[in-house]
Amino acid sequence: QVQLQESGPGLVKPSETLSLTCTVSGGSISSYYWSWIRQPPGKGLEWIGYISYSGSTNYNPSLKSRVTLSVDTSKNQFSLKLSSVTAADTAMYYCARFTVTNSLVTWFDPWGQGPLVTVSS
Amino acid sequence: SYDLTQPPSVSVSPGQTASITCSGDKLGDKYASWYQQKPGQSPMLVIYQDSKRPSGIPERFSGSNSGNTATLTISGTQAMDEADYYCQAWDSSTVVFGGGTKLTVL
């Protein structure tokens, strides 16, 4: 059974870069897409982007200029970098496996537990 | 950009049927997924491809999608079903989430 675990700093200063890593266990990172979703406190879900095991990416247009996703298949990990953060980037950051079929059926499953990342000086 | 609209809240009595809607332009031409999120937990997939249930999801959860509206239906609602529910779809190579619906079982 595939499990995902996020890791990274829980506090980031304004204007700096938020960096998180998601480790996949119980299965290979190959042959799937992997995604990041965030949720500000008390608010809804916002898709950040996804990356394939081969490194192809797709980002939310609203965040595209600040987001970089990468994958390390040797470590079964994928990572998120979000630059120039502000208080508005304070949120729970979840990693999840993303499925998209040829018929454009899409879903996220499973999800990690998500760390709360706070942007504050 | 594509928008999915959900009612902020839905209330249901235990044992009754709860229906949560998700509206979007020609949503019936796309596929909808639904997620359940309980307080302090990460979201969990309960419906994908409009009406399919992942392994382990109770049969009381069902889904439909037609026209401009996708609907998540919970039959015989239990207290444990109280949670936030989010719909999700794919449009123009972009993932879109609805704003979420808080289901209260009272």
Side-chain angles (χ1 to χ4, degrees):
Chain A
Q1 181 171 342
V2 173
Q3 293 184 311
L4 288 76
Q5 180 66 59
E6 303 90 344
S7 59
L11 181 64
V12 181
K13 290 182 169 55
S15 80
E16 295 190 346
T17 296
L18 178 159
S19 296
L20 294 172
T21 296
C22 183
T23 301
V24 179
S25 60
S28 173
I29 202 168
S30 298
S31 302
Y32 284 101
Y33 291 90
W34 304 91
S35 191
W36 291 92
I37 301 111
R38 70 180 183 178
Q39 183 175 37
K43 297 187 178 181
L45 302 171
E46 180 180 31
W47 172 66
I48 297 171
Y50 68 73
I51 186 168
S52 73
Y53 69 97
S54 62
S56 63
T57 56
N58 187 18
Y59 301 135
N60 185 327
S62 68
L63 297 169
K64 186 174 184 178
S65 63
R66 298 194 292 132
V67 173
T68 301
L69 301 188
S70 59
V71 62
D72 186 338
T73 55
S74 67
K75 295 182 179 179
N76 241 29
Q77 294 177 335
F78 61 104
S79 298
L80 163 70
K81 290 188 184 298
L82 180 65
S83 64
S84 305
V85 297
T86 69
D89 295 309
T90 294
M92 294 289 289
Y93 283 79
Y94 299 105
C95 60
R97 187 174 65 186
F98 177 58
T99 298
V100 53
T101 71
N102 290 337
S103 301
L104 302 184
V105 179
T106 62
W107 69 87
F108 296 94
D109 181 62
W111 295 59
Q113 287 303 304
L116 174 63
V117 180
T118 301
V119 178
S120 175
S121 55
Chain B
S1 63
Y2 191 78
D3 293 324
L4 294 175
T5 301
Q6 298 181 234
S9 62
V10 169
S11 297
V12 64
S13 299
Q16 299 304 303
T17 297
S19 295
I20 299 172
T21 58
C22 174
S23 298
D25 185 47
K26 298 180 181 178
L27 181 56
D29 292 342
K30 311 177 193 301
Y31 290 102
S33 296
W34 290 91
Y35 303 87
Q36 176 194 69
Q37 185 179 32
K38 296 182 178 180
Q41 297 184 16
S42 55
M44 179 178 69
L45 179 71
V46 294
I47 293 288
Y48 69 100
Q49 200 170 332
D50 295 339
S51 59
K52 295 187 175 181
R53 282 179 292 106
S55 174
I57 300 302
E59 290 185 7
R60 64 180 181 273
F61 287 87
S62 63
S64 63
N65 185 15
S66 179
N68 294 322
T69 304
T71 303
L72 173 68
T73 302
I74 309 173
S75 304
T77 307
Q78 301 181 8
M80 69 172 64
D81 299 328
E82 187 164 284
D84 293 328
Y85 290 85
Y86 294 89
C87 60
Q88 174 256 309
W90 172 262
D91 177 77
S92 301
S93 300
T94 299
V95 171
V96 182
F97 286 101
T101 297
K102 181 176 182 58
L103 177 67
T104 301
V105 182
L106 42 68

